[in-house]
Amino acid sequence: MNHSPAAAAVLTQVRGQVGTLTLNRPRALNALTHAMVRDLTDALTAWEQDDTVRAVLLTGAGERGLCAGGDIRAIYEDARVGGTASRAFWRTEYLLNAQIARYPKPYVALMDGIVMGGGVGVSAHGSVRIVTERSTLAMPEVGIGFVPDVGGTHLLAAAPGELGTHLALTTDRMGPGAAIAGGFADHFLPSAELPAFAEALATGDVADVVAGFARPAPADEWEQHRPWIDACYAADSVEEIVTRLEECGVPAAKEAAERIMTKSPTALKVTLSALRRARRLGALEPVLDQEYRVSCAALSLPDLVEGVRAQVVDKDRRPRWNPARLADVSPADVAGFFADLGPEELGLAARP
């Protein structure tokens, strides 16, 4: 496979035995478009059948990060007019997430810099996940009236204790140490060594190269908070979680409660339910099926458009959620997000 044109949003190149995928929208922090997801899918499919390609390397152009997520403005414009483009994008994206998770060759993701939302989806399901001292990971969806997707609820639900619940409801970030401890990454490398690491992969055995470059991981910045996180977020409702956080006597917990209460009440309740359901589902494929139902439901309700408006478009940081109170989001409202889509189901769990 030849190197893509410089203007392409995904650059593909085979160097030695490694097929390299470079997300190439640095001015947009490599945010994913539908065309980019299709390009990634096509390249992975081709390289799976190419015996000369023994591993895949994912990286991002620019100095700011691997990928900040999906193209939120495009989703916003689609939701405003009641379009179907976002459904089509998510279908292709979630299928890609599953393809990465079951890829038969080593899939090495360089999670340098900012890695959020869809950026987590194209990296954290890989078999070799590298973070650096510059890595910042997050699933910030509830802040825009959405729910963690791209397999994010699978990863968050599998994190130790209730850490994933905390990260989902607050949208708090992980540094490299927390990303490894939380199951989102595997190895730590200094960012200055990434070029030499990529060069070594071209001719070396992946496991040997990783072992030669990996360094001890930094401390997990969330470890000291785990006692109150596990105690407070084990509650069965968002209301009870907030009450426990406010009353446990730990300043950091009270601050977490304050952050939660700025998020979409609907997104918070649906996210908590999605995480609990994801734990029971276990495998990634049925969780992605569930996330597709939830994402499609969110597209038709006002909070996603309002959240993107407040955070990305107008940037007034003052979303007007509807409904505005947790008490006004009923169990029936939440259950509606998980309704079967019939012939529109993603259907990953049913595939062989």
Side-chain angles (χ1 to χ4, degrees):
M1 185 173 295
N2 295 324
H3 201 294
S4 302
V10 175
L11 304 179
T12 61
Q13 182 183 32
V14 175
R15 297 182 60 200
Q17 63 183 10
V18 175
T20 299
L21 298 167
T22 303
L23 307 180
N24 189 40
R25 295 182 70 209
R27 294 181 63 181
L29 229 169
N30 300 320
L32 296 171
T33 65
H34 198 169
M36 291 171 70
V37 173
R38 285 193 294 260
D39 287 346
L40 291 168
T41 300
D42 291 346
L44 289 176
T45 301
W47 287 339
E48 183 173 345
Q49 306 301 321
D50 187 344
D51 291 340
T52 67
V53 175
R54 299 179 61 186
V56 172
L57 177 67
L58 176 74
T59 188
E63 296 297 321
R64 297 168 61 198
L66 173 67
C67 176
D71 190 335
I72 296 299
R73 282 183 176 268
I75 295 172
Y76 167 79
E77 296 296 343
D78 183 54
R80 288 181 67 196
V81 300
T84 60
S86 296
R87 285 173 173 255
F89 168 65
W90 289 324
R91 179 176 290 274
T92 309
E93 184 180 27
Y94 300 173
L95 292 175
L96 172 65
N97 301 146
Q99 181 182 18
I100 290 169
R102 59 173 178 252
Y103 204 65
K105 300 177 181 182
Y107 182 98
V108 184
L110 301 185
M111 304 168 75
D112 185 35
I114 293 174
V115 186
M116 296 184 182
V120 172
V122 295
S123 59
H125 299 302
S127 54
V128 182
R129 305 164 300 175
I130 307 292
V131 286
T132 76
E133 77 283 356
R134 304 188 299 195
S135 294
T136 298
L137 280 69
M139 297 300 295
E141 287 78 7
V142 296
I144 57 166
F146 196 44
V147 177
D149 66 337
V150 297
T153 59
H154 172 74
L155 294 163
L156 291 162
E162 293 294 336
L163 176 62
T165 311
H166 169 78
L167 295 172
L169 299 187
T170 61
T171 73
D172 283 354
R173 301 180 176 190
M174 292 175 277
I180 292 174
F184 282 72
D186 305 302
H187 307 283
F188 174 80
L189 269 68
S191 59
E193 296 188 19
L194 292 179
F197 173 75
E199 187 71 27
L201 279 180
T203 56
D205 176 78
V206 171
D208 291 342
V209 173
V210 170
F213 278 83
R215 300 291 181 268
D220 170 12
E221 64 269 28
W222 288 111
E223 184 176 7
Q224 62 180 317
H225 300 289
R226 283 286 305 283
W228 63 261
I229 285 176
D230 290 349
C232 294
Y233 288 95
D236 293 329
S237 70
V238 178
E239 290 93 334
E240 178 61 24
I241 287 171
V242 171
T243 297
R244 292 186 185 185
L245 290 169
E246 290 174 336
E247 296 179 352
C248 79
V250 178
K254 189 174 188 301
E255 292 167 5
E258 293 171 355
R259 289 195 297 280
I260 289 172
M261 293 304 292
T262 67
K263 315 304 183 188
S264 159
T266 300
L268 287 168
K269 287 199 168 184
V270 175
T271 294
L272 182 62
S273 181
L275 291 172
R276 300 300 190 243
R277 291 168 181 248
R279 282 182 180 169
R280 295 193 294 270
L281 289 170
L284 175 62
E285 284 82 1
V287 174
L288 286 167
D289 287 344
Q290 172 177 280
E291 289 179 352
Y292 187 69
R293 297 178 200 118
V294 170
S295 296
C296 290
L299 196 63
S300 63
L301 294 176
D303 277 6
L304 177 56
V305 169
E306 174 60 11
V308 178
R309 180 207 64 77
Q311 300 295 335
V312 180
V313 179
D314 296 339
K315 299 182 180 179
D316 59 23
R317 307 291 192 266
R318 299 181 65 182
R320 296 180 290 274
W321 304 123
N322 182 20
R325 302 187 311 153
L326 286 168
D328 294 332
V329 183
S330 71
D333 293 332
V334 174
F337 279 75
F338 299 91
D340 191 282
L341 298 176
E344 299 301 316
E345 279 282 302
L346 188 63
L348 267 169
R351 298 189 179 196

